[in-house]
């Protein structure tokens, strides 16, 4: 018997197959990219809300130990290191109440007043625009408004 020489099989994709994949990816990009682009803002908003709530909880623990909140002059740093400005807390917890006070998600410091205009203290971020008021990512995130429902 004679063996026939077989032409080597070529493997790969045809131009039609490649075009179909490119079209599918393009259609997906039209729907996915706008949603993905919005996600970083949503994540920053959520982080600001959580930061305010966590700092508020730490301030309440500070008050339980020391019978009052840190003063405006002592600031949020009183949650990290024992204040050296009067009134010196007598029962300050060794190790602090938080490891460090970070900036808000837009790189601005959280604002703190004690006594506050809206309660025993005011804790807030001015949002992405760093200006009072605004909506969405530019909104203020405060300790005196419940942001969990927004």
């Amino acid at each position: 018997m004679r063996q026939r020489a077989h032409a080597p099989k070529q493997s790969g994709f045809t131009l039609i197959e490649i075009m179909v994949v490119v079209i599918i990816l393009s259609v997906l990009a039209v729907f996915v990219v706008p949603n993905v682009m919005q996600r970083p803002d949503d994540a920053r908003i959520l982080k600001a809300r959580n930061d305010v709530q966590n700092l508020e909880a730490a301030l309440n623990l500070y008050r339980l130990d020391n019978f009052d909140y840190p003063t405006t002059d002592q600031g949020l740093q009183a949650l990290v290191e024992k204040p050296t400005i009067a009134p010196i807390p007598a029962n300050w917890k060794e190790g602090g109440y938080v490891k460090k006070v970070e900036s808000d998600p837009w790189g601005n410091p959280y604002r703190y007043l004690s006594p506050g205009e809206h309660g025993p203290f005011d804790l807030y971020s001015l949002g992405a625009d760093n200006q009072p008021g605004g909506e969405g990512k530019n909104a203020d995130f405060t300790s005196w408004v419940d942001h969990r429902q927004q």
Side-chain angles (χ1 to χ4, degrees):
M1 249 192 251
R2 263 166 103 191
Q3 291 191 359
R4 293 184 180 175
H6 292 290
K9 288 188 175 182
Q10 292 184 342
S11 60
F13 298 106
T14 66
L15 181 60
I16 300 284
E17 291 170 326
I18 292 173
M19 293 302 293
V20 167
V21 169
V22 167
I23 290 171
I24 290 171
L25 290 175
S26 299
V27 169
L28 284 174
V30 165
F31 293 106
V32 172
V33 169
N35 292 330
V36 171
M37 295 306 287
Q38 180 64 29
R39 301 305 283 177
D41 287 337
D42 292 344
R44 286 184 186 98
I45 289 168
L46 182 60
K47 183 176 182 333
R49 289 178 183 159
N50 288 336
D51 285 354
V52 168
Q53 290 172 358
N54 291 338
L55 289 170
E56 187 175 9
L59 286 163
N60 286 327
L61 287 173
Y62 181 100
R63 181 178 173 265
L64 283 173
D65 288 346
N66 301 290
F67 309 108
D68 209 354
Y69 294 104
T71 64
T72 300
D73 289 337
Q74 291 170 332
L76 295 174
Q77 195 60 29
L79 300 173
V80 179
E81 349 178 286
K82 186 173 183 176
T84 56
I85 302 170
I88 306 296
N91 299 318
W92 191 83
K93 179 181 149 195
E94 191 63 37
Y97 298 87
V98 295
K99 290 186 181 187
K100 69 179 189 173
V101 178
E102 297 186 17
S103 298
D104 71 12
W106 300 279
N108 302 307
Y110 283 99
R111 317 281 173 115
Y112 175 73
L113 296 172
S114 178
E117 297 175 8
H118 301 94
F121 65 86
D122 291 353
L123 172 64
Y124 58 100
S125 163
L126 293 176
D129 63 356
N130 203 29
Q131 300 293 321
E135 295 181 11
K137 68 180 182 179
N138 295 328
D140 299 346
F141 300 94
T142 67
S143 59
W144 60 90
V145 175
D146 186 1
H147 295 282
R148 289 174 288 195
Q149 305 303 322
Q150 296 177 347

